[in-house]
Amino acid sequence: MWLINSSIGRKVVMSVTGVALILFLTFHCCMNVVALFSGEAYNMICELLGANWYAVVATMGLAALAVIHIVYAFILTAQNRRARGNERYAITAKPEKVEWASQNMLVLGIIILLGLLLHLFNFWYNMMFAELAGIAAPLDPADGFGYIKLTFSNPVYVVLYIIWIVAIWFHLSHGFWSAMHTLGWNGKIWFNRWKVIGLVYTTLLMLGFLVVVLAFAFKCAPSLCCGA
């Protein structure tokens, strides 16, 4: 099957799964912004998306998309290294028109993966998994607002999440327009347009996540008695 065996097919899979994950991030960001205005409303969403069958199915689908995206990223990276052969050891000047993010997508991907594991531990493990498995958790599994306050009352987590968000921004700022290019939605006119659209969209998206982290970090500073 060409989607698996060919380089172009693998890039198409990467692009489609990447776009799907961006759509999820958009939903997740909108959900997180709700927490800035109402903890009760945020917890209502968390309860709706708790251990219900449709939420579990959606989570499994999302996990499959993420795994496919990550696996194909490593396959394409290994393929590119094999294609370059011994040339990758040669000292060459960096191409002026090649973005930093493009040259470091694998490194960014690893940082994003590590951040994802941390995020799953802080939230998914203590919420959906705890409810499904019936295990003890620090707070009520449906108290997503409480977990946000708990997580970002820790300065170490705040710094790690900021690094994670910056890495995602670099990854998406390149990945967005690259996906459009792979899917053939570029052309001579739209190539630069997609780059601008992708930069603006991903910047606003990551700013949404960053605002939530910083808002709760300052709100939950020890001097402000977070959770009191």
Side-chain angles (χ1 to χ4, degrees):
M1 187 176 180
W2 72 277
L3 287 175
I4 299 175
N5 298 325
S6 71
S7 176
I8 295 177
R10 296 186 187 108
K11 290 181 179 179
V12 168
V13 172
M14 279 279 293
S15 299
V16 172
T17 55
V19 170
L21 292 172
I22 290 175
L23 292 176
F24 167 74
L25 284 175
T26 303
F27 165 76
H28 197 358
C29 182
C30 293
M31 176 180 169
N32 283 5
V33 169
V34 172
L36 295 174
F37 301 97
S38 172
E40 183 179 350
Y42 183 79
N43 281 347
M44 287 178 62
I45 299 174
C46 290
E47 186 174 358
L48 180 66
L49 300 175
N52 302 299
W53 68 269
Y54 49 84
V56 174
V57 171
T59 300
M60 292 173 62
L62 180 63
L65 286 173
V67 169
I68 292 172
H69 191 78
I70 292 169
V71 169
Y72 271 65
F74 278 101
I75 291 175
L76 285 171
T77 300
Q79 176 183 300
N80 290 337
R81 285 179 177 273
R82 285 197 302 269
R84 290 177 60 188
N86 293 330
E87 290 182 7
R88 68 177 182 270
Y89 300 108
I91 300 176
T92 57
K94 292 184 178 179
E96 294 182 1
K97 294 185 179 181
V98 177
E99 298 176 350
W100 181 88
S102 176
Q103 295 178 318
N104 296 277
M105 288 295 275
L106 181 61
V107 175
L108 291 171
I110 292 173
I111 295 174
I112 293 170
L113 178 58
L114 293 175
L116 177 61
L117 294 176
L118 175 65
H119 187 63
L120 289 174
F121 172 75
N122 285 332
F123 292 94
W124 178 81
Y125 176 80
N126 288 316
M127 296 176 71
M128 180 182 284
F129 182 79
E131 187 175 350
L132 288 171
I135 61 177
L139 302 171
D140 187 311
D143 188 11
F145 188 74
Y147 279 108
I148 291 179
K149 293 196 296 181
L150 180 64
T151 299
F152 299 125
S153 64
N154 187 330
V156 175
Y157 283 151
V158 172
V159 172
L160 291 176
Y161 269 82
I162 291 175
I163 294 173
W164 187 37
I165 290 170
V166 171
I168 295 175
W169 180 83
F170 274 111
H171 191 79
L172 295 185
S173 63
H174 170 78
F176 186 98
W177 67 261
S178 180
M180 298 300 106
H181 176 74
T182 298
L183 295 173
W185 299 342
N186 53 339
K188 294 181 179 179
I189 297 177
W190 275 94
F191 180 75
N192 289 326
R193 289 181 180 178
W194 277 125
K195 294 188 74 170
V196 173
I197 292 171
L199 181 61
V200 172
Y201 187 83
T202 56
T203 298
L204 291 175
L205 185 61
M206 291 301 105
L207 279 176
F209 285 108
L210 184 61
V211 166
V212 173
V213 172
L214 294 179
F216 279 91
F218 285 108
K219 181 187 295 185
C220 296
S223 61
L224 298 180
C225 301
C226 174

